[in-house]
Amino acid sequence: MTATYAAAGFGESPEVALDDVPVTGALPTWLTGSLLRNGPGTFQVGDRRYRHWFDGLAMLHRFTISDGRVSYANRFLETESYRAAREEGRIAFPEFATDPCRSLFARAMAVFDPQATDSAKVNIARVAEHYLALAETPIQVEFDPETLRTVGVTGWDRSNFGRMTTVHPHLDEERHEAINLVTRYGALSTYVFRRVDTTDPGLLEGATFASRAVGEPSYIHSFGMSEKHVILVEFPLVVNPVSLLLWLKPYIENFRWKPNRGTRIHVFDRATGKHVKSATADPFFAFHHVNAYDDGDDVVVDLVAYDDASVIQSFYLHRLEDPDVQIPPGTLRRLRVPLGGATGRLHAEVISPTGIELPSIDYARRNTSPELRYVYGVGVRGERGFYDRLVKIDVAERSTASWSEEGCYPGEGVFVGRPGREVEDDGVVLSVVLDAARGTSFLLVLDAATFTEIARAELPHPVLLGYHGQFYGDLRPAHGS
């Protein structure tokens, strides 16, 4: 027996453009703009299937809302990975947990000429007027936000696979900067923080301002940033860099869980790049940071954490297709890192026992702020199955609100604030929801305050279960168009 969401959620989305998507309910008159969303568009190439939820060919989606109406379009990123799949019917480049079929000779040659996928399917960011599809490989793909046409590849050359990056850069509109974390693999590996001046579209690669050497690098999906600091949380899921250079296994399968290392937290000064403090906490794993802020002589870090890294194993497709799959629940936890004096072993406080993943906040107004109150995300209603509800955690009251509908599987909830709002949750939460029974998807619009549905726009086809997106009230012309 296969889970009901598997066929539609891990199949293939057709490329379409719809000028007028049927809407039920009433969209707020102030809600104008576009939700750009990223994720896999297919899990099948020729006679091969990708192995993991984090694999697949990248597809962009655009929901544009104006005057109470919704239009929609989607399009595959036209990358080398995509062309090889469509023209040759093969998986040509290694993914998160899927490798190409290669002869022993080809595997040996890969040591001298490693090839990174350009299927940038995980997130979207607007940096220095460039709209970028983001991947953990050091290859980001620029696209036109209106047509979704692929403009070109930016970042480092594909052959330089000695680097990986996070897919959650931090953007600071007031300081006109974007910051991201890169891991450089080698005999002695290095974590590198890089900064981009967002006022200059020609300097997208940015410059290094902080770094730290490491023997066995950790798998890191995101990092923390406060007003004064950047925070690197180094989980004990680590890799011997030689394993990546030999490339005998898919990327993530080279990493090993070593809980005796504990979780190491490194704090750097944002202005100078100087290393400020390192501390060790009990072992845990996380994909996503939620927020970080300075509190006197402490830095406070909120993230969605797991007791170990077994959640990665639960996302293999053969497991997700089992209706009895059990996805370990991540919980919202808080670390307080004293910056002065001796520091003993840190213990993360559980802010809420509610299972949550794909967390989002009112980033524009509450990122780096101690006043953050609401965190939105997805969760599982019972003990088994895929993410089938949206949750809203009140950090102050330690309470949870939720939305769910039988047979429906929502994606990341993106908060859009009402212009001129004075209350943090005055706005809406947008989520692309898979209706498994019908084999279709819809854009769900929730009132963020009451967490109840006010409208939905229904598509005639499924949008595959994906990851992250961004809402833009203005789609400024793409720099590369």
Side-chain angles (χ1 to χ4, degrees):
M1 179 179 177
T2 301
T4 56
Y5 55 79
F10 302 116
E12 180 166 353
S13 291
E15 289 185 314
V16 299
L18 305 171
D19 292 333
D20 199 0
V21 180
V23 174
T24 58
L27 293 165
T29 55
W30 57 264
L31 184 59
T32 300
S34 294
L35 174 67
L36 299 179
R37 190 173 179 274
N38 204 349
T42 183
F43 285 94
Q44 189 76 32
V45 174
D47 59 359
R48 287 199 66 196
R49 194 154 187 255
Y50 289 103
R51 302 174 64 226
H52 197 278
W53 184 30
F54 296 172
D55 296 332
L57 290 175
M59 173 175 273
L60 299 173
H61 306 261
R62 176 183 52 76
F63 292 86
T64 296
I65 303 170
S66 180
D67 298 324
R69 301 175 65 183
V70 176
S71 63
Y72 168 82
N74 64 3
R75 190 166 182 169
F76 281 101
L77 277 183
E78 295 170 355
T79 61
E80 290 186 34
S81 298
Y82 173 78
R83 283 189 284 272
R86 285 294 180 256
E87 296 172 9
E88 304 172 30
R90 66 187 182 98
I91 298 173
F93 303 100
E95 297 286 343
F96 182 84
T98 302
D99 268 356
C101 286
R102 294 181 293 191
S103 67
L104 184 61
F105 175 76
R107 285 181 179 273
M109 292 305 296
V111 175
F112 304 100
D113 184 25
Q115 297 286 295
T117 182
D118 56 0
S119 184
K121 70 183 76 65
V122 188
N123 201 358
I124 285 168
R126 182 169 67 189
V127 180
E129 302 310 313
H130 298 265
Y131 290 83
L132 303 176
L134 306 180
E136 292 183 323
T137 57
I139 298 170
Q140 318 304 338
V141 181
E142 186 169 2
F143 66 94
D144 185 297
E146 295 183 336
T147 66
L148 304 183
R149 180 180 62 85
T150 300
V151 174
V153 173
T154 186
W156 294 279
D157 182 75
R158 174 196 292 282
S159 64
N160 189 354
F161 192 66
R163 305 175 184 180
M164 297 294 275
T165 184
T166 83
V167 292
H168 295 279
H170 278 289
L171 306 176
D172 190 321
E173 296 291 344
E174 292 186 2
R175 300 188 193 183
H176 304 292
E177 66 181 19
I179 295 175
N180 208 353
L181 172 66
V182 176
T183 302
R184 293 176 176 169
Y185 298 110
L188 183 64
S189 299
T190 312
Y191 299 122
V192 178
F193 283 100
R194 297 181 67 82
R195 181 171 14 230
V196 171
D197 179 354
T198 57
T199 65
D200 190 341
L203 296 177
L204 193 58
E205 187 172 314
T208 295
F209 72 94
S211 64
R212 185 175 183 84
V214 57
E216 290 187 308
S218 173
Y219 170 69
I220 299 175
H221 186 80
S222 64
F223 66 98
M225 185 181 78
S226 68
E227 281 288 328
K228 299 178 181 178
H229 302 95
V230 288
I231 305 100
L232 164 60
V233 181
E234 189 180 12
F235 313 108
L237 181 65
V238 297
V239 66
N240 181 339
V242 174
S243 298
L244 292 181
L245 294 177
L246 294 176
W247 204 265
L248 299 177
K249 298 178 181 179
Y251 171 73
I252 195 60
E253 293 177 7
N254 293 284
F255 287 77
R256 296 291 178 265
W257 180 249
K258 296 186 176 182
N260 290 339
R261 292 168 53 102
T263 293
R264 302 170 184 178
I265 302 96
H266 309 290
V267 181
F268 302 84
D269 187 287
R270 271 182 69 178
T272 66
K274 178 183 177 181
H275 174 251
V276 177
K277 184 80 175 201
S278 288
T280 301
D282 296 332
F284 67 86
F285 174 75
F287 292 113
H288 296 112
H289 282 251
V290 175
N291 188 35
Y293 60 89
D294 303 303
D295 185 15
D297 293 330
D298 298 346
V299 170
V300 178
V301 182
D302 292 347
L303 30 65
V304 172
Y306 302 83
D307 293 338
D308 57 39
S310 61
V311 62
I312 294 175
Q313 304 301 315
S314 69
F315 291 149
Y316 278 89
L317 294 189
H318 73 276
R319 295 194 178 187
L320 290 177
E321 289 168 346
D322 184 343
D324 289 328
V325 64
Q326 291 182 282
I327 299 174
T331 52
L332 187 58
R333 305 183 196 183
R334 173 168 292 170
L335 281 170
R336 180 174 288 272
V337 185
L339 299 184
T343 301
R345 197 173 184 89
L346 304 181
H347 302 277
E349 173 196 4
V350 178
I351 296 177
S352 170
T354 299
I356 184 174
E357 200 28 280
L358 302 178
S360 64
I361 63 173
D362 181 0
Y363 188 90
R365 297 196 180 189
R366 288 294 186 262
N367 190 49
T368 76
S369 170
E371 298 178 3
L372 171 71
R373 181 168 180 177
Y374 301 111
V375 181
Y376 310 95
V378 298
V380 180
R381 284 183 290 171
E383 296 182 354
R384 303 176 188 279
F386 197 70
Y387 300 115
D388 59 358
R389 71 170 182 165
L390 288 162
V391 298
K392 172 189 178 184
I393 296 177
D394 185 329
V395 174
E397 298 291 336
R398 306 291 174 100
S399 61
T400 300
S402 67
W403 175 94
S404 63
E405 186 172 301
E406 192 63 33
C408 290
Y409 300 86
E412 174 190 48
V414 177
F415 175 80
V416 183
R418 183 193 302 269
R421 64 190 181 280
E422 297 181 358
V423 179
E424 182 179 326
D425 61 350
D426 182 8
V428 298
V429 171
L430 305 178
S431 175
V432 181
V433 181
L434 175 70
D435 185 332
R438 299 176 60 187
T440 58
S441 293
F442 58 90
L443 177 66
L444 174 69
V445 185
L446 298 181
D447 182 297
T450 64
F451 223 56
T452 57
E453 179 178 344
I454 56 177
R456 67 175 63 183
E458 301 196 45
L459 300 176
H461 70 274
V463 173
L464 303 196
L465 297 165
Y467 325 117
H468 302 291
Q470 306 292 335
F471 183 87
Y472 298 104
D474 58 329
L475 284 187
R476 300 195 286 268
H479 177 265
S481 297

